[in-house]
Amino acid sequence: MADLSSQQGRWRDLDMLLARPGNIVSNGFEPSPTLREEIEEYVRVLVVGAGGLGCELLKDLALCGFKNIDVIDMDTIEVSNLNRQFLFRLQDVGKSKAEVAAKRVMERVSGVTIVPHFCRIEDKDIEFYSDFSIIVLGLDSIEARSYINSVACSFLEYDHDNNPVAETVKPMVDGGTEGFKGHARVILPGSTPCFECNIWLFPPQVKFPLCTLAETPRTAAHCIEYAHLIKWDEVHSGKPFDADDPEHMQWVYSEALKRAELFGITGVTYSLTQGVIKNIIPAIASTNAIVSAACALEALKIISGCSKTLSNYLTYNGLVGTHIKVTDFVKDKDCLVCGPGTLLEIEPSVTLYQFIEMLGKHPEILLSKPSVTHQGKNLYMQSPPILEEMTRSNLTLLMFDLLGKVSRDTLHVSGACEKNGKKVSCLRKLRVVFRGVGDGMTDMDTADRS
Amino acid sequence: MAAEPKTKYDRQLRIWGEQGQAALEKASICLLNCGPTGSEALKNLVLGGIGSITVVDGSKVETCDLGNNFMLDEQCLGQSRAKCVCSFLQELNDAVKAKFVEESPATLIDSNPSFFAQFTLVIATQLLENILLKLDRICRKANVILVVARSYGLSGLVRISVKEHNVIESKPDHFLDDLRLHNPWPELKEFSKSIDLSITDPVVHKHTPYIVILIRLAEKWADAHNGCLPSSRQEKKDFKDLIKAHMLNIDEENYKEAMEAAYKVSTVRGISSQISQIIEDTSIEVDSSSPDFWVLVAALKEFIENEGDGEPPLEGSIPDMTSLTEYYVSLQKIYQAKAESDCFAMERHVRNILKRIGREPDAISKAYIKTFCRNARKLTVCRYHTIEEELSSPNLPELQKYLTDEDYCFAAGFYILLRAVDRFASNYNRFPGIFDSELDEDMLRLKTIAFSIISDSGLHGSSLSEDLIHEMCRFGSAELHPVAAFIGGVASQEVIKLVTRQFVPMTGTFIFNGIDQKSQVLAL
């Protein structure tokens, strides 16, 4: 068992930053020889993903002094991972990424505890995520990021002045890579943009029009997608296509070749076939190392305050030289995920029917025929007819009762509103506060708003 | 049980291909100092299948290494650091040949400079300036590429030093396609004429490729404008209207594509300034010792002046566009045929030049010439100052600009301070801020040194933030793992580009700024 002095010796370099005062640091930074120990004892980090970014993140975070790390990943190890996911060896193929990664890092960095979770991120309940001081993402999909973002932002509360309540802010650091390019961003819900605020940053995925695939193919990719999306069902009706089954892949490849030959198109290879169908993103160790390092450094700075924080989005491009750009994006104040939502003060005696009428007249909301949901449950749906019928009886009930007799809560409403002269469907987040109920606050200055 | 290389390296083969991979597997890399910066750089290369690595480090593993180097654990304490890092790396990829030399790089540089000649590339990490200068001279003489990498607290540096590095396959992200709509050759014109733009069949009308539409309409325009193509803003707008007028209805994707691509007919004939500079470079006066690259450039110049009529060889591929399959395939064949005939002409020039300079006429393969032709518009020549040149006469106006620019000032400040800490080290035999008790005095000493570097450089009135100097002192030369991993990542990526000869390496000094992450490449 290492004694204190050798522990200090071990972390000599890190302690330069944590134990010494500095002039370019975050507000509230309290340098101290025990800061690292406090981090070790009280801070829990969640790493989402144990792949290209995840492996690097676990190493980097462990060597930043974090002692309590959890890692979640539903995938198993494949041979094509081995060119960059350095915690895995050939004999690990088929095993859980999270479990092997955790084991390997614990073997090398003594004292760190890494708890693996071999499951989907949706399989954990909200309480699981609330235990972490910071969440670091090494994901490869928009959907997964969106999900974690909505979970982290769901903890966020705002005070009467529309400012985020510090204790409810769950910081996230998100990284992503593709070939020689990548990004790292800091998300402080309520202050910086959340993932949804800036979702337009991710370009939409290319989908070939069906008529091109069916009538006028021109490229090898068209022939491949024809075989994959059209021909497969024609021949194997009912049987789902499995991209991980080499026989299925081989079938698609030979059909694609046939089609290409028919149309005089060149370039169909097995490698391209895999790439198109699985949407394979080229990946190398160096880009993952760079982006993860940036993310881990930000996590260290956010938790300790030992320097300034990235504000707030870094893009990395190594194709021509090394190009790094930092952009300070502004959050969307109307964001449905991290925004406070429009504040609505109502009497506890208001019925759902009356509430819906108010929405149509409210100057900020102006939704016609709004439907109302609360924590995923439909309170009243305007359509389709069967849902309307099912929820109609709620209209005469009191809002106070429907929301579970709490003094305030968040609702979502959807309906039609006007944008640029066109009628579009809108989703709005609302904060409902019942006058005179509960937590002893004075509502004087908010009285005008509803 | 070895993993089939094709599958293991699949994700990177999709980036640099078989040839790039082969180049990596032939390369031999020497690493000086295997602290976390060097170790992380090497890790990325080993994972990628680099041919061989030789780790040079004279130190023994100490407790503080366990806090920042993933490759070392308790069992390594007291052992050779080079040996331990080497054995960890070997485990990552048994195809890589890993060796180590237990000696301090500074000693090796002095006692055995010829040691370095055997390597493709040397990665020098955490070396002091005066030692680096010696190493740079040795590597230049032996024609070995040098990559310098350094981590220092929340700052760091990566730079390349080699006389010249030429890139044929620069593979830039968004490069304009080579359609020659402004200057179609006879076969392309003929094909375009063979298609009736006003055909009544709606399917054919909306599947006429935009290449054809633009060539025909450009000709129509030129006929009405004295042979000139649209060039002024108004003319370009009018040209787009002309295209629109040929649309039968608004869902004709091909016409929409034509309007979006309309600017391509206004391309100015000739070659870019970058290529122009390359073909006018003194290196095209080739002789038997000239690298193949310059022989090819000399041939390119002859081609441009003759068969090319001012333009380089045709690239040969066309982007996807809405079209009937048969039209598209025909167009592809027409472009490929012209590219092939241009390549054939280039080949003749290459063979003639080779004969002229006394080399075998088929010393350069047809395949290589073909790759050169396809990439002729994207050639890049990188030349680097020696480290001594940069330090003794940096680009002052640039440095001045950097020091005062909001986005660059921390990076520029770190650049000066990294030099300052080395000078501090040679004066006081240690780095500033190592001891808590001397922090305040070191701050003043460092400040004095930093300001004298600035004034010695010839910069007048440039100030350096006192807070930044204080931070540099605070760092106490710490080698933090995330910073080392970042620097190692950047260094390894440059090595890959240099070894595969694909993609363009950085041309400047990269300064890492871990405070606000505004890292920059300084062109000094």
Side-chain angles (χ1 to χ4, degrees), chain B residues 367-424:
Chain B
Y368 198 64
I369 298 173
K370 192 166 176 203
T371 303
F372 185 88
C373 286
R374 267 208 322 262
N375 288 283
R377 296 173 309 145
K378 308 172 192 175
L379 306 174
T380 308
V381 174
C382 301
R383 290 189 174 124
Y384 298 87
H385 294 148
T386 61
I387 298 179
E388 179 157 18
E389 280 166 354
E390 182 190 309
L391 296 181
S392 60
S393 43
N395 185 329
L396 286 182
E398 285 297 296
L399 189 52
Q400 178 82 52
K401 215 174 59 175
Y402 294 140
L403 283 166
T404 48
D405 181 309
E406 194 193 306
D407 285 334
Y408 282 80
C409 56
F410 275 177
F414 278 140
Y415 176 81
I416 302 285
L417 287 165
L418 282 165
R419 295 201 57 197
V421 299
D422 277 2
R423 209 175 274 191
F424 187 108

Side-chain angles (χ1 to χ4, degrees), chain B residues 311-372:
Chain B
E311 308 229 50
L314 185 72
E315 198 261 347
S317 72
I318 60 175
D320 189 27
M321 60 189 71
T322 301
S323 171
L324 287 182
T325 307
E326 56 169 287
Y327 286 168
Y328 187 79
V329 172
S330 300
L331 277 174
Q332 274 185 315
K333 294 203 171 103
I334 292 170
Y335 276 82
Q336 271 157 20
K338 166 103 168 92
E340 257 169 51
S341 101
D342 282 355
C343 185
F344 196 68
M346 270 288 290
E347 229 191 303
R348 264 197 334 237
H349 288 294
V350 171
R351 308 258 176 259
N352 288 338
I353 293 171
L354 284 170
K355 267 195 278 220
R356 184 166 51 81
I357 61 177
R359 287 181 63 189
E360 283 302 315
D362 45 15
I364 300 180
S365 74
K366 187 180 172 115
Y368 198 64
I369 298 173
K370 192 166 176 203
T371 303
F372 185 88

Side-chain angles (χ1 to χ4, degrees), chain A residues 368-440:
Chain A
S368 61
K369 293 172 92 32
S371 299
V372 184
T373 56
H374 174 239
Q375 292 181 2
K377 284 201 309 282
N378 296 328
L379 294 188
Y380 181 67
M381 300 301 279
Q382 300 272 356
S383 68
I386 187 165
L387 278 181
E388 197 281 327
E389 213 182 303
M390 278 168 63
T391 52
R392 200 183 299 157
S393 53
N394 287 338
L395 289 172
T396 51
L397 300 180
L398 295 182
M399 286 295 289
F400 187 63
D401 291 336
L402 283 168
L403 298 190
K405 294 194 164 74
V406 290
S407 61
R408 46 171 50 226
D409 210 341
T410 303
L411 285 180
H412 283 99
V413 293
S414 62
C417 64
E418 269 214 30
K419 250 189 188 143
N420 304 329
K422 284 198 295 187
K423 251 194 162 49
V424 293
S425 70
C426 300
L427 183 60
R428 291 252 183 285
K429 190 176 178 184
L430 299 181
R431 283 174 300 155
V432 172
V433 173
F434 292 102
R435 279 205 199 93
V437 176
D439 45 48

Side-chain angles (χ1 to χ4, degrees), chain A residues 46-62:
Chain A
L46 174 64
V47 174
V48 186
L53 287 167
C55 286
E56 297 279 345
L57 283 169
L58 289 173
K59 158 181 72 77
D60 294 343
L61 291 166

